[in-house]
Amino acid sequence: MADGVAAVDDPIRKPPLVQGENDFASVTDIVCQVSETPKPPKAWYVTFAAALGLLGALGASIVYLISTGVGVWGNNQPVAWGWPIVNFVFWVGIGHAGTLISAVLFLFRQTWRTAINRFSEAMTIFAVICAGMFPAIHVGRIWVIYWVFPIPNQMEMWPNFRSPLLWDVFAVGTYFTVSLLFWYMGMVPDLATLRDRATSRVRRMMYGVFSLGWTGSNRHWHRYERAYLLLAALATPLVLSVHSVVSFDFAVSQLPGWHTTIFPPYFVAGAIFSGFAMVLSLAIPARELWGLKDLITTRHIELMCKVILATGMMVGYAYSTEFFVAWYSGNRYEGFAFINRAFGPYWWAYTLMVSCNVLVPQIFWFKKMRTNMWVVFIAAALVNVGMWFERFVIVVSSLNRDFLPSSWHYFTPTAIDLLTFLGSFGLFLTLFLLFCRYLPQVAIAEIKGVMPQAHAGHGGSAATASDSPSGQVPPEGVK
Amino acid sequence: MTSSRVYGVLASFTSVEGIIEAAKAVKEAGLTKWDCHTPFPVHGLDKAMGVKMTKLPWIVLGCGLSGLALAIWLQWWTNAVDYPFIISGKPLWSIPANVPIMFELTVLFSALSTFFGMWMLNRLPRWYHPLFSVPSFRRATSDRFFIVVEADDPAYQAPEIKALFEAQGAATVEVVEETITNTDWPPKIKFAAWAAAGLLMLPPAFVVKAKFSTSETPRLHLVPDMDHQPKFKAQAASSLFADGRAMRMPIDGTVARGELVANEALHTGFLGGEYVTEFPLPVDEFLMERGRERFNIYCTACHGVSGLGDGMVNKRAQEIVSPLWVPPLSLHAETVISQPPGQLFQTISKGVRNMPGYAQQIPVRDRWAIVLYLKALQRSQSGSLDDVPLQLRNTIR
């Protein structure tokens, strides 16, 4: 923010970040009306009901799982990792875009991030919640899950700190904590805005408590901005580390198909790829539904499409490198694992993965495609499908034919597998829809900072910011 | 008990330029207890106000380094010292395997200290502020820019400050009153808080007591899963199988490990009900060398390197005068020397009287190798000068 304004996009060369005749007051209005209108759009109710239904299914399947045992899933030797780990990696991957957008793009002074950062940070947090759930329920005896933490205990035992699975606990835990702090801290000034506009006592209390008594004091802003910069600087290596550590779960093992050094960068590229696809899948309907088109503009969508195109090609490059290394290493087992991957019993999953992740994004070379919301929406959905299958291919096709041909086994999921996976979408959507309805979807204070009026002597005019009728504060609220 | 007093003078401005200019003027007027309130961080305002660089980064650095130190100590202490963890023969303590956790804890501690440090330095949360009672101040989070000069300022002069703001083109200027209320906690709540704090100390007190006292009863297990594991023991009944046995019979047409008898002489040491007297496999130097190595591994603990029965286990048993101990035989006893190779093979495979069998540990060919070596060992103890080749006799005399 503070220093970043120097790099503000020149409105003559590029379409402005905020479109339409907007000033500070109207930007406040656009974002706040979402949670202030007494009734959200019908579509919100419909999706929320569906999300709650799926959430219920998730709860039921977890209760069944815990009371019965992991045998209710399709996991069995040799495919002991099955869907739960596929889903874990899938959701963690999605949870990457948020912090990437908010931290990495912040450090690179990409001011266009302001319109979508809040939104994608929320997505990150909810995705990481879904992700964290899977390994937890996957351990079997969930009631001793606290053994993963170094808590002094009567058994006088400690966790093994040299295990990638334990690194994972710390990596995902830290990532979740830092993302949550980042998200919440960024939201405090906007919660104060909602507090100050509140007309009912309940709203004033709720937003009041969570805005911590924020007054917009410049001495506070000063430390706040430092803190924001520091958090961004801390979160940036973190984004790259989380999926690297997740990839260690595979790469540190001795299994052909997993044991490769290319995994960390390959996983990170894939995570950013899938994360941006998910942001698009959520942003396109949301801007349509809540009238946020002036803030989340076509240009934002286009930029995200370009990120998808770039990361999609990185992922494609990783796919081919894997094959090259398998051949070049001269290792027969490695070679078999990859031939089995592409032409073995799961050839269909591999084909689906390559088509969705490498071929589909190629349409984003064309501006026509990048600006057609339907095309973008469908392509993003396909990328999400492809990325789920990527994890499926990595986990299942590497395991299903192990060293002992007599134990080869074609993995099939059970109905509970499917229900748990769909249920995780219920959890995600429920949280996300609640966020959309009750919290500021766009970073109000930040977006004001990238408007021309925000810069003394930068073409800003005092008149626009003054007494627009919409700038009226509500009359003094109910006491 | 409420009373009221003047909090200060509040002025509002409609533009970024306006507030920056006004802030410069206030600073020039020599006022110290004042602040600006803006809907977003205004670029250039810090300079205009003369806000000093926060010390937050130093706090973060300190906490980050503590996180790093904690990670190093935690991993070293738990996995190398308190509960040495042997994994794939790797060193108990080495940096590379411990880097991920070091990184994570460094970042975690830094982030937590950034977040909490920032609020602490800002003295937030503080849910009450005198300005909250001014209706127009609500636009401070929307589209207006405010300056407030507090009455506590030594240079505070309401009329002069008002005039200064008006000269700067303020949209509104007003004097803010603050109501002072008694903020002490009611006695009942105070008492409840103390009581709750006292109760919270009980669990840690029990833990400390348990740690520093001895007890006859077994340790408390939070989760007794490991004490009662559902499983089938040998010879138990099972409802899973039609025949009711927990132990399964070998499947037809399969051979269990170690039970292959493809060549009777080789695998059993018998031939037609008699001990074999010839080695059923080619005898060469390699077999002999292998036998010496295996014998030293498996047999010397009891029989001793020379086979005289003076192995470590025997010595130790004599020392503690174990009533159950049967000393191993000297392998040079006449009864042993006279045994054919097949019988020795049987002894190693199945054991004899008080000696256990070693078929599980030692593969067939290695057992024959040991027999071969044993034969040589026996020869070595009962040999005479005639056994030594002529040209070497001089060297050993």
Side-chain angles (χ1 to χ4, degrees), chain A residues 1-3 5 24-25 28 141 143-144 146-147 150 153-162 166-167 170-171 173-175 177-178 181 184-185 188-189 192-193 195-198 204 208-228 230-231 234 237-238 241 245 248 445-446 448-449 453-458 460-462 465-468 471-477, chain B residues 14-17 20 32-43 45-46 49-54 56-57 60 74-75 77-80 82-87 90-94 96-98 100-101 103-108 110-112 114-116 118-119 121-129 131-133 135-145 211 219-223 225-226 229-230:
Chain A
M1 287 177 283
D3 301 334
V5 292
F24 297 142
T28 314
R141 299 185 187 204
W143 47 93
V144 291
Y146 63 91
W147 284 359
N153 53 60
Q154 87 288 359
M155 298 174 291
E156 311 250 320
M157 286 191 350
W158 295 107
N160 173 13
F161 279 104
R162 277 164 289 166
L166 194 71
W167 302 346
F170 278 78
T174 303
Y175 184 60
T177 315
V178 174
L181 296 181
Y184 176 61
M185 200 182 102
V188 167
T193 304
R195 170 200 66 199
D196 289 347
R197 293 167 55 102
R204 204 171 46 234
V209 167
F210 286 104
S211 57
L212 307 177
W214 181 261
T215 59
S217 150
N218 194 58
R219 295 176 200 280
H220 290 179
W221 274 123
H222 168 73
R223 299 194 189 94
Y224 178 92
E225 288 202 274
R226 268 298 125 183
Y228 201 85
L230 283 170
L231 276 187
L234 290 167
L238 203 58
S241 79
V245 171
F248 290 161
E446 259 189 62
K448 285 175 191 163
Q453 297 95 311
H455 310 289
H458 199 281
S461 86
S466 67
D467 290 80
S468 73
Q472 290 302 318
V473 281
E476 212 191 321
Chain B
T14 53
S15 73
V16 170
E17 288 88 345
I20 292 179
T32 48
K33 296 211 72 173
W34 62 288
D35 204 348
C36 298
H37 296 269
T38 56
F40 57 88
V42 173
H43 185 50
L45 197 53
D46 282 356
M49 283 177 72
V51 177
K52 276 205 240 66
M53 184 61 188
T54 168
L56 184 65
V60 174
L74 182 72
Q75 298 184 81
W77 165 251
T78 58
N79 279 193
D82 191 40
Y83 188 78
F85 235 116
I86 300 166
I87 302 288
K90 287 173 192 145
L92 288 176
W93 170 247
S94 64
N98 297 290
I101 306 273
F103 169 78
E104 299 298 342
L105 286 193
T106 310
V107 172
L108 183 67
S110 310
L112 288 173
T114 310
F115 182 80
F116 290 106
M118 187 271 288
W119 295 122
L121 292 175
N122 281 346
R123 294 182 201 291
L124 289 177
R126 177 187 170 191
W127 284 283
Y128 166 78
H129 194 281
L131 291 176
F132 285 161
S133 54
S136 68
F137 186 70
R138 294 184 179 189
R139 284 177 80 169
T141 55
S142 173
D143 62 339
R144 281 298 165 91
F145 306 84
K211 186 89 198 160
R219 289 175 180 214
L220 213 66
H221 277 272
L222 294 182
V223 181
D225 280 17
M226 293 292 170
Q229 300 179 40

Side-chain angles (χ1 to χ4, degrees), chain A residues 321-334:
Chain A
T321 307
E322 276 191 322
F323 271 89
F324 172 75
V325 171
W327 165 74
Y328 189 68
S329 68
N331 181 326
R332 286 167 60 197
Y333 299 100
E334 194 76 13

Side-chain angles (χ1 to χ4, degrees), chain B residues 119-187:
Chain B
W119 295 122
M120 218 178 58
L121 292 175
N122 281 346
R123 294 182 201 291
L124 289 177
R126 177 187 170 191
W127 284 283
Y128 166 78
H129 194 281
L131 291 176
F132 285 161
S133 54
V134 181
S136 68
F137 186 70
R138 294 184 179 189
R139 284 177 80 169
T141 55
S142 173
D143 62 339
R144 281 298 165 91
F145 306 84
F146 291 84
I147 298 190
V148 62
V149 179
E150 287 176 39
D152 291 346
D153 195 302
Y156 178 81
Q157 290 288 335
E160 280 174 26
I161 293 168
K162 274 182 161 175
L164 184 151
F165 283 147
E166 267 148 23
Q168 289 296 327
T172 58
V173 180
E174 57 192 304
V175 175
V176 179
E177 300 256 316
E178 169 184 25
T179 45
I180 302 166
T181 37
N182 180 7
T183 52
D184 276 358
W185 291 17

Side-chain angles (χ1 to χ4, degrees), chain A residues 2 4 51 199 234 286 301 337 345 365 386 433:
Chain A
T199 45
L234 290 167
I301 306 286
W365 286 106
L433 287 167

Side-chain angles (χ1 to χ4, degrees), chain A residues 249-405:
Chain A
D249 292 346
F250 301 92
V252 174
S253 78
Q254 308 286 311
L255 197 78
W258 285 1
H259 186 66
T260 58
T261 47
I262 192 187
F263 261 23
Y266 158 30
F267 268 51
V268 171
I272 296 166
F273 180 56
S274 68
F276 270 86
M278 194 56 129
V279 174
L280 280 177
S281 308
L282 295 172
I284 292 174
R287 71 197 273 273
E288 208 70 42
L289 218 59
W290 304 107
L292 297 175
K293 283 188 192 168
D294 277 356
L295 305 183
I296 305 177
T297 62
T298 314
R299 180 175 156 216
H300 289 106
I301 306 286
E302 263 202 84
L303 285 167
M304 285 194 271
C305 289
K306 287 181 190 166
V307 174
I308 289 191
L309 178 60
T311 46
M313 286 191 295
M314 289 183 208
V315 169
Y317 174 67
Y319 295 159
S320 51
T321 307
E322 276 191 322
F323 271 89
F324 172 75
V325 171
W327 165 74
Y328 189 68
S329 68
N331 181 326
R332 286 167 60 197
Y333 299 100
E334 194 76 13
F336 172 79
F338 280 91
I339 288 173
N340 183 46
R341 189 171 276 187
F343 306 107
Y346 292 100
W347 64 270
W348 54 271
Y350 189 83
T351 314
L352 201 62
M353 160 186 115
V354 173
S355 342
C356 289
N357 294 348
V358 185
L359 302 183
V360 168
Q362 301 307 322
I363 59 168
F364 289 147
W365 286 106
F366 307 103
K367 194 181 172 83
K368 258 227 172 78
M369 297 289 157
R370 292 198 301 265
T371 48
N372 182 332
M373 291 307 138
W374 278 108
V375 170
V376 176
F377 185 72
I378 291 170
L382 285 177
V383 166
N384 279 320
V385 172
M387 283 309 289
W388 190 87
F389 273 98
E390 180 194 300
R391 280 62 176 252
F392 177 84
V393 163
I394 292 174
V395 171
V396 175
S397 82
S398 306
L399 285 173
N400 84 101
R401 291 190 162 175
D402 63 356
F403 295 104
L404 207 59

Side-chain angles (χ1 to χ4, degrees), chain B residues 175-240:
Chain B
V175 175
V176 179
E177 300 256 316
E178 169 184 25
T179 45
I180 302 166
T181 37
N182 180 7
T183 52
D184 276 358
W185 291 17
K188 265 187 200 159
I189 298 206
K190 245 188 199 167
F191 176 78
W194 279 113
L199 286 177
L200 278 179
M201 293 311 292
L202 281 180
F206 278 120
V207 171
V208 170
K209 180 181 168 280
K211 186 89 198 160
F212 294 104
S213 58
T214 50
S215 156
E216 297 280 296
T217 49
R219 289 175 180 214
L220 213 66
H221 277 272
L222 294 182
V223 181
D225 280 17
M226 293 292 170
D227 301 353
H228 313 283
Q229 300 179 40
K231 63 167 177 267
F232 292 113
K233 300 225 161 131
Q235 313 293 353
S238 159
S239 57
L240 277 179

